[in-house]
Amino acid sequence: MFYREKYTEICPNFHLYTRVWIPDPDEVWRSAEIIKDYKEGDKSLQLKLEDETLYEYPIDLPGSELPFLRNPDILVGQNDLTALSYLHEPAVLHNLKVRFLESNHIYTYCGIVLVAINPYEQLPIYEQDVIYAYSGQNMGDMDPHIFAVAEEAYKQMARDEKNQSIIVSGESGAGKTVSAKYAMRFFATVGGSASETNIEAKVLASSPIVEAIGNAKTTRNDNSSRFGKYIQIGFDKRYHIIGANMRTYLLEKSRVVFQAEDERNYHIFYQLCASSSLPEFKDLGLTCAEDFFYTSQGGDTSIDGVDDADDFEKTRHAFTLLGVKESHQTTIFRIIAAILHLGNLKIQGERDGEVCSVSSEDEHLSSFCSLLGVEHSQMQHWLCHCKLVTTAETYVKSMSLHQVVNARNALAKHIYAQLFNWIVQHINKALHTTVKQHSFIGVLDIYGFETFEVNSFEQFCINYANEKLQQQFNSHVFKLEQEEYMKEGIPWTLIDFYDNQPCIDLIEAKLGILDLLDEECKVPKGTDQNWAQKLYDRHAASLHFQKPRMSNTSFIVLHFADKVEYQSEGFLEKNRDTVYEEQINILKASKYQMVADLFQEETDAVPASAVQKRTPRINVRSAKPAFKAANKEHRKTVGHQFRNSLQLLMETLNATTPHYVRCIKPNDEKLPFKFDPKRTVQQLRACGVLETIRISAAGFPSRWSYPDFFNRYRVLMNKRDLSKNDKKQICQTLLENLIKDPDKFQFGRTKIFFRAGQVAYLEKLRADKFRAATIMIQKTVRGWLQRARYQRLRRATLALQRYARGHLARRLFQHLRRTRAAIILQKQYRMLRMRRAFLRVRSATLTIQAFARGMFVRRIYHQMLLEHKATILQKYARGWLARARFRRAQAAAVVLQCHWRRLRARRQLQALRIEARSAQHLKKLNIGMENKVVQLQRKVDEQNKENKLLNEQLSMLTSAHSSEVEKLKKELQQYQQTQQGDGKQLLSLQEETERLRMELERAHGEREVLEDSHGKERDLLRKRICDLEEENALLKQEKEELNSRILCQSEGEFARNTVEENMQMKKELEEERSRYQNLVKEYASLEQRYDNLRNEMTIFKQTPGHRRNPSNQSSLESDSNNPSICTSEIGDTEDVIQQVEEIGMEKAAMDMTLFLKLQKRVRELELERKKLQAQLEKKEQESKKSQVIEIKTEVASEHEDFAYNTLKRQELESENKKLKNELNELRKAIADHATQNNSSNDVQDGYNLLLNQLKSANEELEVRKEEVLILRSQIMKAAQQKESGKNMESISPNASWPNSDRHVDQEDAIEAYQGMCETNRKTEDWGYLNEDGELGLAYQGLKQVARLLEAQLQDQRREHEEEMEALRNQMDLMQEELEKQQQAFLQTLQLSPEIQVEFGLQQEITRLTNENLDLKELLEKLEKNEKKLKKQLKIYMKKVQDFEASQTVVPVERRPHERSMQVAVQRKEKDFQGMLEYYKEDEPLLIRNLITDLKPQAVSATVPCLPAYILYMCIRHADYINDDQKVHSLLTSTINGVKKVLKKHQDDFEMTSFWLANTCRLLHCLKQYSGEEGFMTQNTAKQNEHCLKNFDLTEYRQVLGHLSIQIYQQLINIAEGILQPMIVSAVLENESIQGLSSVKPVGYRKYCSKEGDSSYSLDEMIRQLNTFHSIMCDQGLDPEIIQQVFKQLFYMINAITLNNLLLRKDVCSWSTGMQLRFNISQLEEWLRGKNLQQSGAAQTLEPLIQAAQLLQLKKKTSEDAEAICSLCTSLSTQQIVKILNLYTPVNEFEERVTVAFIRNIQKQLQERNDPPQLLLDFKHMFPVLFPFNPSAITMDSIHLPASLNLDFLNKV
């Protein structure tokens, strides 16, 4: 938002009479004056308006601010709005109003935007003298004008050499068309053509024509453009107009047949009607415009101040000026008149309008047909009928009245649209020129924003285009400007602006309005209502879309300027824009050729020009669509075409420098010089003028990057500043010294920003500096040359020394750094490895300790628990004994007392008897006797009851105990019986085993007999083979003799022809070689594609199983390669199976060894699976038995205790779930175990041990659970007793015996559950203990002992069952084997004796093979262990050597040399014959170690191309033993391995060069030792001994040649990929010679410069070339191949540099030519230094050298032209002319190349027969040659370094 200045800050001493702006609903802003000082804290301002009215302005409301300040009167009426002191909306509006109304100035600047207010009156400010007054003036020197903007665009085009665009925008009626017309008039005047064609007059003449046929009167504008046009005015290099081109967009065709009220049709109709009285137009049959339906619908047909007849004369004159023939003009006017007559046809309806017709006597129909030259009857018929085409027949149907009217209107629109396109096309043809266009200025005059009472499809498209243009304006003026300032760090306040992208997305995005409209048009029965409903459903939530309340067929779009309601009626028909084909066919048959041609264009599949592509097309609805080819152009809807053309327009505008003219419509009444503030401010807000004033006022139009500024103005800097390294600081220092005003420039992060005019000032200073320097140079040139030469030599010497020393120092530093890094890496790696090992050991130790300690603690705990229980038992037993002794003593005492008392009682009885005889005494005794008797009787009854209860309890316990003991006895007897039965089975198994052993010994005897017979047959075969070899040798000798004779006879005949045909053969050989290598390249690419597809298929096949290919397996196998599967890793079954799957079962079947081994492995896995399955079933049965036993015990004890049973059942359910989970885990473990290959007894024993531990733990857990259950039941019963004890208070203490047993059980259970409890706990309860309780405790103890015994018994039973199961498995296996042998024996008995012997031999071979496989597996395991031990020994030896080396002081520099010499210098074995032997199964290992996993650094210190020599020695041994399969397999595996390495390292130059050298060397070895005399001329006698003896490998030499070509091409591609990013920067842009700057001033708006691009110097590229050369030389690549590589690379350097030079104007200068020539000389010097001058690489640079010389030569006179033609022989004519056209002077001292000079060059070079291509093909590849290069190294002198791990190779 605009800032608001507070009065206390702006005017601290003046508050009264300050003028401000306040909002007003009518005038938008009103001026007022403060009448009372404002003090801080006041809630309102006291103001006085201009009409003297007092007004109180509140400022205390939330969000309210102080009003805007008004500018002083002296600033009002400024030409530029940005010059105002206060920049805000009311100031801008007031300034425009004052200029428009008071000064009648309609133009005002607003930064880079020109604001133009339509005066609605012709003003005398566009005359010819006004144009000349503005020509050559700077924008801002004179009053604002459209001519000033045009001049600015013209000057920027000439100064910046960039295309320009003037975008005229605004609402309809704002004056856009007039402004665009005046701009074109300015260009036509100041840029008049140099030729006599008067092209500028033609450009101006196009305006009346397009206005007549494309403009019309609307309610808002009398001359509104009803189509959009973009006119490109082309200029040549002298900036004269050479032509123009017009693009049109979306003609409003509906206006031809319909006009709203107070509107008109297109002007041409009224102009023709106004001129109908002319004699030449009598036959048109026209009258006034009111008589025609198509021109009278809007009412008034005239426009005030416009003479249609006069305008028609101008239109005719314009047609003539543009070269339109009179006959064509007549035809045009006839077509327009025919359209008017067509609108007046009287259509007669019948049958309620269902059928209609046109009278044959209708004069308008006759006029229409005669004017267009068509047949009257056909047109009459087809205007009312149409064709319907079905699969079987074609029908002619009558159309309804509504359909006929629509068809007539569609035909009228189509005719006018085609006529419009024809006229525009011929205008473009007239404005076209053959002269090459240097630049252009585009003027965009497109329909403005429109909103009417009824808005249809045309208004929608118009407003959509304005949305896009508004977005482009926002993007250019706001976003780019602010982002540039923010990015560079220039102080800037971010301004928010309106972005209309959401509204554009609503229209053009996917499923937007246009997409939905096109989709509805594709629906057969689509309607406007359905389309509107889809819009409601889809975009109801959009902020820019609304649905009207009172309509279901309209929709509202909130555009950037206003809210517009569109009626959907007619959208689909206008978007389809169809017309009946029968009517068009009649028009095609017109007798007038122009009319027929007008509609014939519809059949063209491809438009004839770009204009036609951009012009909306008409879809013709065919009567037979099924039988006509579909036209893509016809299928495009109008909306789709308009969107595409609008996109092209936006791309064109974005590619030019835009200049903006914002037209403002001051009022809607079109009254002259009337200013409506509301309408004006609305347009100012919408078009962005108010936003521009903030940007332009504080902007910096000129911008330079620091490098460009430094290079341009380094001449203004002193030596002290230039010595600094910071270019940014140097530029800052220079500007601060030259420009004293710091506000004139700003320093950004990467650019310097200048105010207008500052760059011109710097250019003046620079020119003065150059002029003074030139005078000084001319005065002292000779002395300067000598000093400069000496200084250059000295600097070059110092630079070379510096670079050399720096290179040595960097190399030493790199070596030291890598050494130190290696030590640090080793240290860290060893530390990490030892720490991980320590942590693993520590973790394992802690785990073992934890388990061990837990086990010991559990043992102690169990021991203490048992001791505690024994103590309790002893305690109760001793107490019982003590009580028993006490009772016995007590009973004895009682007996004694009884005797004594009886004695005394007898004595007393006698006395009492005497006394009792008395009657009184008897009475006393009888008193109370009855009561005592009753009491005693009751007491006796209670004791009897208690005794009965105790007896019942005792009987229950004894019965339970006896049943338990009997059960255990029965189980013990069963176990003993099973042991006896197992013993018998064991004896039978032993007998069976003995019998099988006997049969096995007999089979061994038979095998020995078969082996003897097999050995004899083998000896016979060997003898026969030897005889055949001798015969073969004799035949070869005879063949060689015959060949030698034939050669001797034919030598004389061919000697004559050879000399004559040598040159021709060489040429044909080159061509054939080139074609051949191209075929090889294509074959390699196809093979690569095949490999990629095969890899994808392999990935798809392996995806479900998540399998992965082994990394050492080649995926590049040849089609002829059928190698056997590697069997070196026999123990790894999965790898073997995977190889079988990849190679195929057919190949796998060829290897019987592998098949038998796999068969054996499958049998082992099947046995192991059965064993594990049996174990699993046994575990399940045991778990089921345990569950059944638990359930039985639970049922048996149910009646004893209900609470105990309930808790027990719950525990059993939970335990059952746990058992099931454990069983599932057990099954998973068994399944995992079955997938492993190791089935050793150690794993099985460990598995059994874990199972036993688990079972023992479960048993112990079961005991604890039972104890817990007992405790829970006792607690529950104790609680019940407490509740019932409240009612039993009368029971005596002696009657507590029944409960004492349960109480003691509860106490015992608590003590057993808690473990180590106090022994004398609850001593007060021991008084209740009785004999029954002691028996219960004893029973519990016995129960525990029985459990332990039962557990031991189960363990023994389990072990016995496992042993029996193992024996059964062995017996089953032996039984199966015996059955197989019996079956085989029975089968052999049925065969003949010969087949029996053969079958038995095969069986024996199979058996021996299996035994051999077993022995081989054992041997490989031993070998693996041996290798591991060897590796460990090497590691220890290395540690010892390192330790010894650390004790001795050795120089650092000599250690690598000594280590490398140790590899190369070894003692040679005396008997080595230069052959290496290996086993067939070691072939993959050989390929892996020697090719796949080999690094070039591993053999860098050995003989170059060592892998090639090793491979040849292996091939030679295979040849020596005459094993063709081995040779085939080895060579094929080698080729595939090399291909795999190249594919893996396809971007590694070193690896590719390494294998190119080795492949060529192997090829040379195969030639050198092939035995052919042509390749053995340079061999020594020793080398001749190493030749191949048995095989001719010519075909493999050809395959290796193909492979070498592929590797060479890959090497070139890698090198080109590395060099290509460097070439342009290093050769063309690098400033090798300081001071030659190619930067030139590019104007005051240089928005972009090269930033962040990676630049390379020439030295960097030369260093890269050195790297390539050193790598190839170190790896032993042939010198001839190295020369060809650099020839190819230098050709690429030449092609890329020259192509870039031809496509860049900024580098075509004299200074660039100097830099380029110097850089080329550096490359030539490098070639000479590397002794590559004979390679032809220097010759490939010849075109580039000539281009550099062309830039440096003079280009003025004809002598200069002759010198250029004689010099530039390697450049084509097009390239020479292109460089001359692109040549651009950098300084003011240079001159441009004239057109005459270029024409002279073309004239002299026209006789050349140059290729038509302008650019060089930098991908062209010269054919490569691989000349034979024999080696002087003998095979027996080559040694194998230990680092290659080729220990399995044996020297022969």
PDB file of all heavy atoms in Angstrom, residues 375-391:
ATOM      1  N   GLU A 375     -25.022 -22.327 -58.846  1.00  0.00           N
ATOM      2  CA  GLU A 375     -26.277 -22.765 -59.470  1.00  0.00           C
ATOM      3  C   GLU A 375     -27.453 -22.425 -58.568  1.00  0.00           C
ATOM      4  O   GLU A 375     -27.446 -22.735 -57.365  1.00  0.00           O
ATOM      5  CB  GLU A 375     -26.220 -24.267 -59.763  1.00  0.00           C
ATOM      6  CG  GLU A 375     -27.383 -24.749 -60.572  1.00  0.00           C
ATOM      7  CD  GLU A 375     -27.221 -26.210 -60.960  1.00  0.00           C
ATOM      8  OE1 GLU A 375     -26.125 -26.757 -60.729  1.00  0.00           O
ATOM      9  OE2 GLU A 375     -28.187 -26.800 -61.464  1.00  0.00           O
ATOM     10  N   HIS A 376     -28.452 -21.808 -59.146  1.00  0.00           N
ATOM     11  CA  HIS A 376     -29.589 -21.308 -58.384  1.00  0.00           C
ATOM     12  C   HIS A 376     -30.385 -22.445 -57.759  1.00  0.00           C
ATOM     13  O   HIS A 376     -30.728 -22.412 -56.568  1.00  0.00           O
ATOM     14  CB  HIS A 376     -30.473 -20.470 -59.304  1.00  0.00           C
ATOM     15  CG  HIS A 376     -31.636 -19.843 -58.608  1.00  0.00           C
ATOM     16  ND1 HIS A 376     -32.831 -20.500 -58.337  1.00  0.00           N
ATOM     17  CD2 HIS A 376     -31.803 -18.589 -58.091  1.00  0.00           C
ATOM     18  CE1 HIS A 376     -33.653 -19.715 -57.701  1.00  0.00           C
ATOM     19  NE2 HIS A 376     -33.058 -18.512 -57.540  1.00  0.00           N
ATOM     20  N   SER A 377     -30.701 -23.479 -58.491  1.00  0.00           N
ATOM     21  CA  SER A 377     -31.577 -24.546 -57.984  1.00  0.00           C
ATOM     22  C   SER A 377     -30.906 -25.339 -56.853  1.00  0.00           C
ATOM     23  O   SER A 377     -31.555 -25.699 -55.870  1.00  0.00           O
ATOM     24  CB  SER A 377     -31.947 -25.490 -59.121  1.00  0.00           C
ATOM     25  OG  SER A 377     -30.780 -26.078 -59.708  1.00  0.00           O
ATOM     26  N   GLN A 378     -29.626 -25.623 -57.022  1.00  0.00           N
ATOM     27  CA  GLN A 378     -28.936 -26.362 -55.961  1.00  0.00           C
ATOM     28  C   GLN A 378     -28.888 -25.561 -54.666  1.00  0.00           C
ATOM     29  O   GLN A 378     -29.127 -26.105 -53.587  1.00  0.00           O
ATOM     30  CB  GLN A 378     -27.527 -26.721 -56.425  1.00  0.00           C
ATOM     31  CG  GLN A 378     -27.473 -27.767 -57.502  1.00  0.00           C
ATOM     32  CD  GLN A 378     -26.042 -28.191 -57.808  1.00  0.00           C
ATOM     33  OE1 GLN A 378     -25.104 -27.681 -57.213  1.00  0.00           O
ATOM     34  NE2 GLN A 378     -25.906 -29.115 -58.764  1.00  0.00           N
ATOM     35  N   MET A 379     -28.581 -24.299 -54.767  1.00  0.00           N
ATOM     36  CA  MET A 379     -28.521 -23.484 -53.556  1.00  0.00           C
ATOM     37  C   MET A 379     -29.897 -23.367 -52.921  1.00  0.00           C
ATOM     38  O   MET A 379     -30.039 -23.404 -51.698  1.00  0.00           O
ATOM     39  CB  MET A 379     -27.944 -22.113 -53.890  1.00  0.00           C
ATOM     40  CG  MET A 379     -27.768 -21.223 -52.676  1.00  0.00           C
ATOM     41  SD  MET A 379     -26.712 -21.948 -51.391  1.00  0.00           S
ATOM     42  CE  MET A 379     -25.125 -21.927 -52.215  1.00  0.00           C
ATOM     43  N   GLN A 380     -30.910 -23.238 -53.748  1.00  0.00           N
ATOM     44  CA  GLN A 380     -32.270 -23.173 -53.209  1.00  0.00           C
ATOM     45  C   GLN A 380     -32.618 -24.473 -52.483  1.00  0.00           C
ATOM     46  O   GLN A 380     -33.246 -24.441 -51.423  1.00  0.00           O
ATOM     47  CB  GLN A 380     -33.261 -22.923 -54.365  1.00  0.00           C
ATOM     48  CG  GLN A 380     -34.717 -22.918 -53.928  1.00  0.00           C
ATOM     49  CD  GLN A 380     -35.664 -22.888 -55.103  1.00  0.00           C
ATOM     50  OE1 GLN A 380     -35.239 -22.881 -56.274  1.00  0.00           O
ATOM     51  NE2 GLN A 380     -36.970 -22.854 -54.832  1.00  0.00           N
ATOM     52  N   HIS A 381     -32.211 -25.595 -53.057  1.00  0.00           N
ATOM     53  CA  HIS A 381     -32.540 -26.881 -52.440  1.00  0.00           C
ATOM     54  C   HIS A 381     -31.753 -27.094 -51.137  1.00  0.00           C
ATOM     55  O   HIS A 381     -32.329 -27.459 -50.103  1.00  0.00           O
ATOM     56  CB  HIS A 381     -32.226 -28.003 -53.433  1.00  0.00           C
ATOM     57  CG  HIS A 381     -32.419 -29.374 -52.851  1.00  0.00           C
ATOM     58  ND1 HIS A 381     -33.663 -29.923 -52.625  1.00  0.00           N
ATOM     59  CD2 HIS A 381     -31.514 -30.305 -52.419  1.00  0.00           C
ATOM     60  CE1 HIS A 381     -33.535 -31.120 -52.096  1.00  0.00           C
ATOM     61  NE2 HIS A 381     -32.229 -31.384 -51.956  1.00  0.00           N
ATOM     62  N   TRP A 382     -30.461 -26.865 -51.176  1.00  0.00           N
ATOM     63  CA  TRP A 382     -29.629 -27.210 -50.014  1.00  0.00           C
ATOM     64  C   TRP A 382     -29.671 -26.171 -48.903  1.00  0.00           C
ATOM     65  O   TRP A 382     -29.146 -26.415 -47.823  1.00  0.00           O
ATOM     66  CB  TRP A 382     -28.188 -27.441 -50.443  1.00  0.00           C
ATOM     67  CG  TRP A 382     -28.022 -28.701 -51.241  1.00  0.00           C
ATOM     68  CD1 TRP A 382     -27.683 -28.812 -52.541  1.00  0.00           C
ATOM     69  CD2 TRP A 382     -28.221 -30.032 -50.756  1.00  0.00           C
ATOM     70  NE1 TRP A 382     -27.656 -30.116 -52.941  1.00  0.00           N
ATOM     71  CE2 TRP A 382     -27.982 -30.897 -51.848  1.00  0.00           C
ATOM     72  CE3 TRP A 382     -28.602 -30.587 -49.534  1.00  0.00           C
ATOM     73  CZ2 TRP A 382     -28.090 -32.287 -51.742  1.00  0.00           C
ATOM     74  CZ3 TRP A 382     -28.702 -31.952 -49.441  1.00  0.00           C
ATOM     75  CH2 TRP A 382     -28.458 -32.796 -50.526  1.00  0.00           C
ATOM     76  N   LEU A 383     -30.282 -25.024 -49.167  1.00  0.00           N
ATOM     77  CA  LEU A 383     -30.498 -24.103 -48.055  1.00  0.00           C
ATOM     78  C   LEU A 383     -31.557 -24.625 -47.102  1.00  0.00           C
ATOM     79  O   LEU A 383     -31.584 -24.255 -45.926  1.00  0.00           O
ATOM     80  CB  LEU A 383     -30.902 -22.722 -48.581  1.00  0.00           C
ATOM     81  CG  LEU A 383     -29.773 -21.823 -49.083  1.00  0.00           C
ATOM     82  CD1 LEU A 383     -30.343 -20.545 -49.696  1.00  0.00           C
ATOM     83  CD2 LEU A 383     -28.812 -21.474 -47.940  1.00  0.00           C
ATOM     84  N   CYS A 384     -32.434 -25.489 -47.586  1.00  0.00           N
ATOM     85  CA  CYS A 384     -33.530 -26.001 -46.765  1.00  0.00           C
ATOM     86  C   CYS A 384     -33.454 -27.496 -46.531  1.00  0.00           C
ATOM     87  O   CYS A 384     -34.361 -28.072 -45.905  1.00  0.00           O
ATOM     88  CB  CYS A 384     -34.885 -25.676 -47.423  1.00  0.00           C
ATOM     89  SG  CYS A 384     -35.155 -23.919 -47.692  1.00  0.00           S
ATOM     90  N   HIS A 385     -32.449 -28.166 -47.039  1.00  0.00           N
ATOM     91  CA  HIS A 385     -32.323 -29.600 -46.867  1.00  0.00           C
ATOM     92  C   HIS A 385     -30.907 -29.944 -46.439  1.00  0.00           C
ATOM     93  O   HIS A 385     -29.963 -29.171 -46.648  1.00  0.00           O
ATOM     94  CB  HIS A 385     -32.651 -30.343 -48.182  1.00  0.00           C
ATOM     95  CG  HIS A 385     -34.054 -30.158 -48.636  1.00  0.00           C
ATOM     96  ND1 HIS A 385     -34.474 -29.010 -49.308  1.00  0.00           N
ATOM     97  CD2 HIS A 385     -35.143 -30.963 -48.522  1.00  0.00           C
ATOM     98  CE1 HIS A 385     -35.761 -29.121 -49.594  1.00  0.00           C
ATOM     99  NE2 HIS A 385     -36.204 -30.295 -49.129  1.00  0.00           N
ATOM    100  N   CYS A 386     -30.789 -31.133 -45.874  1.00  0.00           N
ATOM    101  CA  CYS A 386     -29.467 -31.623 -45.452  1.00  0.00           C
ATOM    102  C   CYS A 386     -29.417 -33.122 -45.676  1.00  0.00           C
ATOM    103  O   CYS A 386     -30.440 -33.787 -45.823  1.00  0.00           O
ATOM    104  CB  CYS A 386     -29.186 -31.300 -43.992  1.00  0.00           C
ATOM    105  SG  CYS A 386     -30.276 -32.130 -42.833  1.00  0.00           S
ATOM    106  N   LYS A 387     -28.221 -33.662 -45.709  1.00  0.00           N
ATOM    107  CA  LYS A 387     -27.996 -35.080 -45.916  1.00  0.00           C
ATOM    108  C   LYS A 387     -27.791 -35.787 -44.591  1.00  0.00           C
ATOM    109  O   LYS A 387     -27.147 -35.263 -43.692  1.00  0.00           O
ATOM    110  CB  LYS A 387     -26.765 -35.309 -46.797  1.00  0.00           C
ATOM    111  CG  LYS A 387     -27.019 -35.183 -48.274  1.00  0.00           C
ATOM    112  CD  LYS A 387     -25.767 -35.575 -49.060  1.00  0.00           C
ATOM    113  CE  LYS A 387     -26.019 -35.454 -50.561  1.00  0.00           C
ATOM    114  NZ  LYS A 387     -24.802 -35.848 -51.316  1.00  0.00           N
ATOM    115  N   LEU A 388     -28.357 -36.999 -44.504  1.00  0.00           N
ATOM    116  CA  LEU A 388     -28.103 -37.874 -43.375  1.00  0.00           C
ATOM    117  C   LEU A 388     -27.507 -39.159 -43.932  1.00  0.00           C
ATOM    118  O   LEU A 388     -28.132 -39.839 -44.758  1.00  0.00           O
ATOM    119  CB  LEU A 388     -29.392 -38.177 -42.611  1.00  0.00           C
ATOM    120  CG  LEU A 388     -30.047 -37.011 -41.882  1.00  0.00           C
ATOM    121  CD1 LEU A 388     -31.337 -37.454 -41.210  1.00  0.00           C
ATOM    122  CD2 LEU A 388     -29.096 -36.424 -40.858  1.00  0.00           C
ATOM    123  N   VAL A 389     -26.356 -39.516 -43.500  1.00  0.00           N
ATOM    124  CA  VAL A 389     -25.629 -40.659 -44.028  1.00  0.00           C
ATOM    125  C   VAL A 389     -25.665 -41.777 -42.998  1.00  0.00           C
ATOM    126  O   VAL A 389     -25.318 -41.565 -41.826  1.00  0.00           O
ATOM    127  CB  VAL A 389     -24.169 -40.295 -44.362  1.00  0.00           C
ATOM    128  CG1 VAL A 389     -23.439 -41.524 -44.913  1.00  0.00           C
ATOM    129  CG2 VAL A 389     -24.142 -39.157 -45.359  1.00  0.00           C
ATOM    130  N   THR A 390     -26.107 -42.957 -43.400  1.00  0.00           N
ATOM    131  CA  THR A 390     -26.080 -44.149 -42.562  1.00  0.00           C
ATOM    132  C   THR A 390     -25.152 -45.163 -43.213  1.00  0.00           C
ATOM    133  O   THR A 390     -24.590 -44.932 -44.289  1.00  0.00           O
ATOM    134  CB  THR A 390     -27.487 -44.724 -42.386  1.00  0.00           C
ATOM    135  OG1 THR A 390     -27.985 -45.129 -43.664  1.00  0.00           O
ATOM    136  CG2 THR A 390     -28.422 -43.709 -41.774  1.00  0.00           C
ATOM    137  N   THR A 391     -25.070 -46.321 -42.588  1.00  0.00           N
ATOM    138  CA  THR A 391     -24.191 -47.357 -43.123  1.00  0.00           C
ATOM    139  C   THR A 391     -24.728 -47.941 -44.415  1.00  0.00           C
ATOM    140  O   THR A 391     -23.964 -48.458 -45.239  1.00  0.00           O
ATOM    141  CB  THR A 391     -24.009 -48.474 -42.096  1.00  0.00           C
ATOM    142  OG1 THR A 391     -25.302 -48.983 -41.723  1.00  0.00           O
ATOM    143  CG2 THR A 391     -23.306 -47.959 -40.851  1.00  0.00           C
TER     144      THR A 391
END
